[in-house]
């Protein structure tokens, strides 16, 4: 895959229905170059996973994954106190796991029910010295019909990195917020602490929420007013202070294979450098 912000080359071995229906065994060798506002990371990795997946034909209530990863990553960011550029190389071993429950009535366009998922990844990192930490995240969403053709939807997301200070964790492994799948109205990963150059630096914890009303307007079209909020924190526990809020409206076209969405958002309390308007286009609902 080639792009201006990301280049990726990978070799993937994938075996479906491994030791059970819809169990997928995957091995991957990859080399990537990511350029973000917060950092640049050149990474080579070996990873493998066994997971139970859902799909649009057989939506499952319970899904899970077990995995392992070895990575070497050359990363460039800046020294937080001075803004001077720096370059560090990390060697990382991780054991990511996840467990999800889907009690909604539709994979791409839920109108009732709820979803709950958790991710846990103990990781060991070598950069100067070896140290360990654990990265955890919980996502929950709920959907409630309020009238015929109108659904109230909400979600929350909480995350923490325990066991290491922010500056020791590789920039590419930290938490970030902002964008179409996060807090709409803001640029991708732009919310949270910033360096002297006004670029995001990520953090050890995050808190996000979204509320939206999905209203069928006419024919295959609908409108979705929304209100999002979130922030990134240096400490391991999200304090819920200093939240950034975004609001806006979206348009949905309900095709045969799922809704196509266009969201236009604006920040309510922008920081210096945040855009006045942001536009997001994607397939499926925002959550």
């Amino acid at each position: 895959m080639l792009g201006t912000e990301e280049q990726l080359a990978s070799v993937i071995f994938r075996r479906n229905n491994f030791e059970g229906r819809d169990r997928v065994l995957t091995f991957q060798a990859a080399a990537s170059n990511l350029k973000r506002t917060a950092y640049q990371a050149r990474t080579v990795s070996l990873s493998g996973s066994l997971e139970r997946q859902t799909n649009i034909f057989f939506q499952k209530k319970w899904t899970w994954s077990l995995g392992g990863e070895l990575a070497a990553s050359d990363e460039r960011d800046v020294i937080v106190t001075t803004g001077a550029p720096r370059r560090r190389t990390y060697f990382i071993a991780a054991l990511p796991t996840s467990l999800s429950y889907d009690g909604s009535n539709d994979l791409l366009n839920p109108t009732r029910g709820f979803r709950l998922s958790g991710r846990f990844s103990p990781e060991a990192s070598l950069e100067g010295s070896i140290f360990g930490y654990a990265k955890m995240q919980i996502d929950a969403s709920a959907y409630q019909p309020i009238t015929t053709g109108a659904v109230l939807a909400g979600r929350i997301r909480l995350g923490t990195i325990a066991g290491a200070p922010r500056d020791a964790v590789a920039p590419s492994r930290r938490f970030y917020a902002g964008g179409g799948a996060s807090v709409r109205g803001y640029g991708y990963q732009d919310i949270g602490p910033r360096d002297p150059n006004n670029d995001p630096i990520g953090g050890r914890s995050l808190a996000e929420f979204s509320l939206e009303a999905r209203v069928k307007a006419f024919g295959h079209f609908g409108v979705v007013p929304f209100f999002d909020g979130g922030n990134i924190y240096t400490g391991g526990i999200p304090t819920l202070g200093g939240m950034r809020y975004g609001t806006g409206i979206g348009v949905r076209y309900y095709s045969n294979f799922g809704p196509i969405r266009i969201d236009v958002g604006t920040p309510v309390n922008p920081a210096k450098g945040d855009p006045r308007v942001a536009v997001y286009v994607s397939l499926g609902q925002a959550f």
Side-chain angles (χ1 to χ4, degrees), residues 132-168:
Y133 57 90
K135 186 173 183 179
M136 296 166 277
Q137 180 175 312
I138 295 174
D139 291 82
S141 58
Y143 315 93
Q144 178 63 48
I146 49 178
T147 63
T148 301
V151 175
L152 182 64
R155 73 166 183 95
I156 59 171
R157 174 177 294 162
L158 299 171
T160 182
I161 297 175
R166 178 194 62 196
D167 199 52

XYZ file of all heavy atoms in Angstrom, residues 132-168:
264
model
N 8.478 -2.822 30.994
C 7.191 -3.375 30.599
C 6.047 -2.451 30.965
O 6.157 -1.603 31.856
N 4.929 -2.603 30.276
C 3.714 -1.847 30.559
C 2.535 -2.617 29.980
O 2.711 -3.599 29.240
C 3.782 -0.434 29.972
C 4.033 -0.389 28.472
C 2.975 -0.392 27.570
C 5.330 -0.358 27.962
C 3.195 -0.359 26.211
C 5.559 -0.323 26.604
C 4.499 -0.320 25.722
O 4.715 -0.288 24.371
N 1.355 -2.201 30.309
C 0.146 -2.838 29.784
C -0.773 -1.764 29.220
O -1.020 -0.744 29.862
C -0.574 -3.616 30.879
N -1.285 -2.006 28.018
C -2.190 -1.081 27.357
C -3.582 -1.684 27.363
O -3.790 -2.808 26.903
C -1.730 -0.823 25.920
C -2.515 0.250 25.184
C -1.889 0.572 23.831
C -2.627 1.691 23.122
N -1.999 2.031 21.813
N -4.567 -0.928 27.887
C -5.933 -1.423 28.038
C -6.934 -0.421 27.481
O -6.726 0.790 27.609
C -6.237 -1.690 29.520
C -5.393 -2.796 30.130
S -5.458 -2.825 31.949
C -4.225 -1.558 32.332
N -7.998 -0.939 26.878
C -9.034 -0.063 26.320
C -10.387 -0.747 26.414
O -10.511 -1.944 26.174
C -8.721 0.268 24.859
C -9.736 1.180 24.189
C -9.317 1.575 22.778
O -8.181 1.988 22.538
N -10.231 1.448 21.836
N -11.411 0.028 26.765
C -12.791 -0.457 26.830
C -13.659 0.431 25.946
O -13.564 1.666 26.010
C -13.324 -0.438 28.273
C -12.540 -1.423 29.142
C -14.809 -0.784 28.307
C -12.925 -1.360 30.609
N -14.487 -0.186 25.103
C -15.441 0.523 24.250
C -16.838 -0.008 24.527
O -17.032 -1.227 24.637
C -15.116 0.324 22.771
C -13.843 1.023 22.349
O -12.747 0.460 22.560
O -13.941 2.135 21.825
N -17.799 0.891 24.630
C -19.191 0.496 24.803
C -20.079 1.410 23.972
O -19.819 2.610 23.864
C -19.595 0.579 26.276
N -21.114 0.850 23.373
C -22.070 1.640 22.604
C -23.463 1.060 22.794
O -23.623 -0.135 23.066
C -21.697 1.672 21.114
O -21.628 0.364 20.576
N -24.477 1.925 22.653
C -25.865 1.500 22.820
C -26.737 2.208 21.802
O -26.434 3.337 21.373
C -26.351 1.804 24.239
N -27.848 1.547 21.426
C -28.741 2.033 20.386
C -30.177 1.853 20.841
O -30.575 0.758 21.243
C -28.495 1.261 19.087
C -27.024 1.099 18.781
C -26.333 -0.042 19.213
C -26.305 2.082 18.103
C -24.977 -0.185 18.971
C -24.951 1.946 17.860
C -24.291 0.810 18.293
O -22.946 0.674 18.070
N -30.973 2.961 20.777
C -32.344 2.926 21.269
C -33.271 3.636 20.294
O -33.114 4.835 20.038
C -32.425 3.599 22.638
C -33.817 3.654 23.225
C -34.407 2.275 23.484
O -33.742 1.424 24.072
N -35.627 2.039 23.036
N -34.263 2.924 19.731
C -35.259 3.612 18.891
C -36.060 4.591 19.745
O -36.466 4.268 20.866
C -36.143 2.472 18.375
C -35.383 1.215 18.639
C -34.515 1.476 19.817
N -36.295 5.808 19.213
C -37.082 6.785 19.958
C -38.416 7.080 19.265
O -39.401 7.377 19.933
C -36.288 8.089 20.180
C -35.647 8.589 18.880
C -35.220 7.883 21.230
C -34.884 9.888 19.032
N -38.441 7.026 17.956
C -39.678 7.090 17.188
C -39.474 6.231 15.946
O -38.379 5.734 15.696
C -40.037 8.532 16.750
O -39.016 9.020 15.874
C -40.181 9.457 17.952
N -40.502 6.084 15.152
C -40.351 5.368 13.886
C -39.371 6.115 12.986
O -39.559 7.290 12.689
C -41.705 5.242 13.180
O -42.620 4.549 14.035
C -41.547 4.467 11.874
N -38.300 5.440 12.609
C -37.311 6.049 11.733
C -36.285 6.904 12.438
O -35.503 7.599 11.770
N -36.240 6.889 13.773
C -35.252 7.679 14.516
C -34.641 6.827 15.623
O -35.359 6.158 16.378
C -35.878 8.935 15.099
N -33.302 6.865 15.712
C -32.562 6.070 16.698
C -31.591 6.980 17.433
O -30.876 7.774 16.813
C -31.783 4.921 16.011
C -30.925 4.171 17.023
C -32.743 3.962 15.317
N -31.576 6.867 18.751
C -30.586 7.566 19.564
C -29.437 6.607 19.834
O -29.642 5.480 20.309
C -31.203 8.032 20.882
C -30.284 8.834 21.813
C -29.880 10.152 21.167
C -30.969 9.071 23.157
N -28.205 7.025 19.497
C -27.031 6.170 19.652
C -25.965 6.889 20.480
O -25.797 8.109 20.375
C -26.453 5.803 18.282
N -25.264 6.133 21.310
C -24.206 6.713 22.125
C -23.069 5.734 22.323
O -23.254 4.511 22.219
N -21.893 6.259 22.577
C -20.742 5.398 22.841
C -19.807 6.078 23.836
O -19.801 7.307 23.971
C -19.957 5.087 21.565
C -19.143 6.267 21.047
C -18.118 5.869 20.006
N -17.330 7.041 19.605
C -16.166 7.377 20.134
N -15.642 6.625 21.083
N -15.524 8.472 19.743
N -18.999 5.265 24.531
C -17.913 5.752 25.370
C -16.678 4.918 25.095
O -16.771 3.753 24.691
C -18.266 5.716 26.871
C -18.592 4.287 27.307
C -19.395 6.661 27.192
C -18.729 4.144 28.805
N -15.515 5.526 25.312
C -14.241 4.825 25.163
C -13.301 5.302 26.258
O -13.143 6.509 26.464
C -13.621 5.102 23.787
C -12.209 4.513 23.600
C -11.705 4.779 22.195
N -12.498 4.054 21.214
C -12.527 4.353 19.915
N -11.840 5.393 19.454
N -13.266 3.641 19.087
N -12.695 4.357 26.970
C -11.723 4.646 28.011
C -10.477 3.812 27.769
O -10.576 2.641 27.379
C -12.291 4.331 29.400
C -13.534 5.121 29.834
C -14.096 4.532 31.119
C -13.209 6.599 30.016
N -9.314 4.401 27.993
C -8.077 3.667 27.789
C -7.009 4.102 28.762
O -7.014 5.231 29.256
N -6.050 3.193 29.040
C -4.935 3.517 29.921
C -3.710 2.697 29.549
O -3.831 1.587 29.024
C -5.306 3.261 31.396
O -4.204 3.645 32.228
C -5.600 1.788 31.642
N -2.561 3.270 29.783
C -1.284 2.568 29.699
C -0.698 2.580 31.097
O -0.381 3.649 31.640
C -0.320 3.233 28.704
C -0.899 3.188 27.287
C 1.048 2.550 28.732
C -0.068 3.929 26.253
N -0.559 1.409 31.706
C -0.084 1.291 33.081
C 1.320 0.701 33.108
O 1.609 -0.259 32.396
C -1.033 0.403 33.891
N 2.183 1.297 33.936
C 3.487 0.700 34.181
C 4.667 1.440 33.612
O 5.817 1.041 33.847
N 4.447 2.520 32.831
C 5.563 3.268 32.240
C 5.133 4.708 32.021
O 3.967 4.972 31.712
C 6.009 2.640 30.917
N 6.057 5.674 32.150
C 5.713 7.076 31.856
C 5.504 7.280 30.369
O 5.998 6.505 29.544
C 6.933 7.848 32.362
C 8.055 6.861 32.341
C 7.438 5.532 32.641
N 4.780 8.336 30.031
C 4.449 8.583 28.619
C 5.685 8.669 27.747
O 5.735 8.073 26.661
C 3.654 9.877 28.489
C 3.308 10.238 27.028
C 2.827 11.658 26.886
N 3.860 12.602 27.289
C 3.629 13.887 27.556
N 2.410 14.355 27.483
N 4.618 14.685 27.909
N 6.710 9.384 28.185
C 7.850 9.633 27.317
C 8.653 8.375 27.035
O 9.385 8.314 26.055
C 8.756 10.706 27.934
C 9.688 11.332 26.904
O 9.184 11.783 25.858
O 10.912 11.345 27.143
N 8.512 7.347 27.892
C 9.235 6.096 27.650
C 8.543 5.237 26.599
O 9.195 4.461 25.897
C 9.369 5.314 28.957
